[in-house]
Amino acid sequence: MTTKTSKKEKVSMPYLVAVDIGFGELKRISSEFPEAVAIPSAIVPGAKPTGNKLIDHETIKDESLIVTTSEGTFFVGEHAMKIPTSVSKRTQIRDRANDPMSRVLFQTGIALGVPHESGEYDVAVVTGLPNEDFDLTVKEKLEEFLNNSFEVEFHLSANHSIKKKINITSVDIIRQPEGSVTYNQFEFDPEQFLVPSDDAKTIVGIIDFGHFTTDFALFQDGVIIEDATTNGSTIGVTDVYNKLKHKLRIKFDEMGYEFRASDSDLDKAIRSSKVYYMGEEHDVKEEVEASAKEVAATIAKAVLDAWGNETNRLELIIISGGGSHVFSKYIEAEFEARNKQGFQVLDAPQFSNVLGFYMYGCISLSDTFAEDKVYTEYVNTVFGGEA
């Protein structure tokens, strides 16, 4: 549970870091680094740099992360994706606190949100979990884990590293869809602090496409309607990857190649409909679209079965999440085929959750610090006075 300090107490203001540790990407934004950033949620065992002149950086670079935590030394993000290995570089373990890969990703993401200098930093953290994990012990265990202080060493060269000690001052964990709805339904105001946005509606449905899960829920006045029959989780982009991997194996087999798609191959195929193999690029658009369409049909059925006729009574349906670019046009076709109303894809859907997490953090910190100070230190930094 988040520990709140009375506004009457004089305490230093922590850095605010919002992290969305998805099974596909790690997204983050903070009061120190106000631009939302995404890196692959990839991690492989690594080693500290030796005398290699190619690993010699002045500061921390997202594309070259080598970190040491209490778990060991690892290559993280883009660096991990470049390491040849037959083992999956992405976790699929839902119990994040009991998964070493997830623990390293959380601590790395949080530590990347404070100044890139060795030192000790107080941090308030906001993150989210899929709907079906939120009410389980998954949340309790993650909260307990995140409330512990920790250290991360970022290796820049054989003789140079940056060591950050992170002291956690508070932890807020919300449902993934609550991030996007907060971002869509509210905005900050210098006089009233928080007001409804121009896009705010009374009754809203959201479909949040993630790598491992797709979450859906109904909201009233920006607050989730607690109803297990209308809120839930179903399959996500991972299922597209699995179908695509099988289709590509067949495609290349017919060409006389024994091809096993790596995570990097699948990422590239989803983004560009291309796969590089045997010295040339191959068009795999047909396989990508077929895979996405098959999974979209399953997702649409899960959502529409849960919402039923209420789907056409909603004032707004919003689409968010990093998987929006994969599914949106196929979900639209599924909705049209069932005579259901259309939807609105949020701007920057990849970052809508983490932006909402950050907004939630600002609201949460206003229970501890005066609103004008929160506005100056946290809101203005990221949103320039408005969200």
Side-chain angles (χ1 to χ4, degrees):
M1 181 177 294
T2 302
T3 303
K4 300 296 183 185
T5 306
S6 169
K7 289 183 180 180
K8 295 180 181 179
E9 293 184 43
K10 291 186 177 180
V11 295
S12 60
M13 300 184 78
Y15 291 93
L16 175 58
V17 180
V19 288
D20 181 5
I21 311 296
F23 293 95
E25 290 184 319
L26 183 166
K27 278 88 70 176
R28 70 181 192 274
I29 191 167
S30 71
S31 52
E32 175 67 18
F33 297 108
E35 183 176 346
V37 175
I39 63 173
S41 291
I43 177 171
V44 297
K48 300 176 183 179
T50 53
N52 192 334
K53 296 296 183 181
L54 296 176
I55 304 177
D56 189 2
H57 306 297
E58 292 297 321
T59 189
I60 297 170
K61 295 182 179 294
D62 279 357
E63 64 272 19
S64 305
L65 293 174
I66 307 174
V67 306
T68 294
T69 73
S70 60
E71 307 286 343
T73 300
F74 301 90
F75 301 127
V76 177
E78 292 287 356
H79 197 157
M81 294 296 285
K82 296 173 184 175
I83 303 298
T85 176
S86 59
V87 179
S88 177
K89 300 167 184 177
R90 290 185 169 112
T91 184
Q92 293 189 9
I93 296 177
R94 308 291 290 270
D95 189 354
R96 313 307 291 269
N98 285 330
D99 173 37
M101 293 176 72
S102 294
R103 292 197 295 264
V104 174
L105 289 171
F106 268 104
Q107 292 184 342
T108 300
I110 293 167
L112 285 170
V114 301
H116 290 343
E117 300 175 357
S118 292
E120 191 168 343
Y121 302 95
D122 293 340
V123 178
V125 176
V126 189
T127 190
L129 283 172
N131 282 341
E132 63 184 26
D133 294 340
F134 187 80
D135 294 322
L136 304 178
T137 56
V138 171
K139 175 177 178 286
E140 296 175 6
K141 288 184 283 188
L142 179 60
E143 195 167 42
E144 182 180 357
F145 165 70
L146 290 177
N147 267 299
N148 293 317
S149 297
F150 61 89
E151 295 184 6
V152 178
E153 182 176 7
F154 294 87
H155 301 282
L156 309 184
S157 69
N159 303 310
H160 184 201
S161 67
I162 292 175
K163 297 179 181 179
K164 303 182 185 184
K165 181 177 181 182
I166 306 298
N167 299 315
I168 301 298
T169 62
S170 65
V171 174
D172 285 300
I173 302 175
I174 62 178
R175 295 175 180 87
Q176 292 279 8
E178 289 182 280
S180 289
V181 171
T182 299
Y183 178 60
N184 179 255
Q185 294 286 102
F186 299 101
E187 62 185 25
F188 290 107
D189 179 83
E191 295 182 1
Q192 301 180 61
F193 189 67
L194 189 73
V195 298
S197 71
D198 292 338
D199 296 324
K201 304 294 182 184
T202 301
I203 304 293
V204 173
I206 181 170
I207 308 172
D208 178 38
F209 297 110
H211 200 85
F212 198 61
T213 62
T214 296
D215 292 322
F216 52 92
L218 300 182
F219 287 75
Q220 181 172 3
D221 296 321
V223 178
I224 195 166
I225 299 173
E226 300 284 356
D227 185 345
T229 64
T230 57
N231 304 335
S233 301
T234 184
I235 59 178
V237 177
T238 298
D239 289 81
V240 178
Y241 275 45
N242 291 337
K243 288 180 178 293
L244 180 58
K245 183 181 292 187
H246 179 67
K247 293 181 191 299
L248 292 180
R249 183 178 178 183
I250 293 173
K251 178 185 181 72
F252 281 91
D253 178 70
E254 292 172 350
M255 299 166 60
Y257 300 134
E258 185 178 350
F259 177 73
R260 300 289 186 274
S262 66
D263 289 347
S264 296
D265 292 328
L266 296 171
D267 286 348
K268 179 179 174 62
I270 293 293
R271 287 196 310 268
S272 66
S273 296
K274 304 286 185 182
V275 166
Y276 187 82
Y277 192 64
M278 293 297 290
E280 60 180 315
E281 282 195 332
H282 300 267
D283 189 312
V284 295
K285 182 178 180 180
E286 181 179 342
E287 289 76 17
V288 170
E289 291 186 345
S291 301
K293 188 174 182 179
E294 291 168 16
V295 175
T298 302
I299 294 172
K301 184 179 187 305
V303 174
L304 295 177
D305 283 354
W307 290 353
N309 196 46
E310 293 303 311
T311 308
N312 286 337
R313 292 195 176 100
L314 299 172
E315 294 181 48
L316 177 68
I317 299 174
I318 55 179
I319 299 294
S320 67
S324 297
H325 71 289
V326 178
F327 291 121
S328 58
K329 70 177 181 179
Y330 304 108
I331 292 292
E332 183 176 21
E334 293 289 336
F335 273 44
E336 288 178 355
R338 292 167 170 79
N339 293 318
K340 302 302 182 183
Q341 68 165 305
F343 48 77
Q344 171 188 329
V345 180
L346 289 181
D347 62 307
Q350 177 187 21
F351 296 111
S352 54
N353 278 341
V354 77
L355 287 165
F357 294 168
Y358 187 89
M359 291 180 69
Y360 191 94
C362 294
I363 298 165
S364 182
L365 286 171
S366 70
D367 291 340
T368 302
F369 304 100
E371 288 181 352
D372 60 336
K373 287 189 173 294
V374 172
Y375 203 90
T376 299
E377 295 295 325
Y378 304 116
V379 176
N380 273 335
T381 303
V382 169
F383 299 111
E386 59 183 13

